[in-house]
Amino acid sequence: MFLSVTGVNHDTAPIQLREQFALLGEHVKAAFVQSRNYATECVILSTCNRFEVYMLQRQRQSPEPQALLSGIFGETLSPIESCLYSY
């Protein structure tokens, strides 16, 4: 099993971009449902300074954690991909 983290924080993205990662109400449940396609376990951490998705995967970086974020937010992450970090 492999643990990965993907996200943005106050060092990598301005507030205007971080605000796009806010999950409210029914979007939280949808995010966890979507995470089942990519990971066996998932934790989403969202504060005013960061948004991170921790995933436990069977294979290293397969599929890409960015695919989960695209699935959660229903859009491509191309405009903000440079602000994302993944470990």
Side-chain angles (χ1 to χ4, degrees):
M1 295 292 206
F2 298 94
L3 179 65
S4 67
V5 60
T6 300
V8 296
N9 65 29
H10 65 282
D11 289 329
T12 65
I15 186 73
Q16 296 84 1
L17 290 179
R18 291 193 318 268
E19 286 175 343
Q20 295 177 19
F21 287 94
L23 288 177
L24 303 171
E26 69 278 351
H27 294 128
V28 174
K29 182 178 178 182
F32 283 113
V33 169
Q34 186 69 241
S35 74
R36 292 181 190 149
N37 296 325
Y38 302 99
T40 56
E41 296 183 39
C42 178
V43 172
I44 297 174
L45 174 67
S46 182
T47 72
C48 59
N49 286 324
R50 75 176 69 193
F51 178 88
E52 294 177 330
V53 177
Y54 294 83
M55 294 189 297
L56 188 61
Q57 300 171 296
R58 286 184 177 37
Q59 298 177 2
R60 182 179 297 231
Q61 297 294 331
S62 177
E64 292 294 323
Q66 290 86 344
L68 171 64
L69 296 180
S70 292
I72 290 172
F73 295 101
E75 58 188 60
T76 62
L77 298 175
S78 316
I80 57 173
E81 231 173 80
S82 63
C83 298
L84 289 173
Y85 52 85
S86 188
Y87 304 104

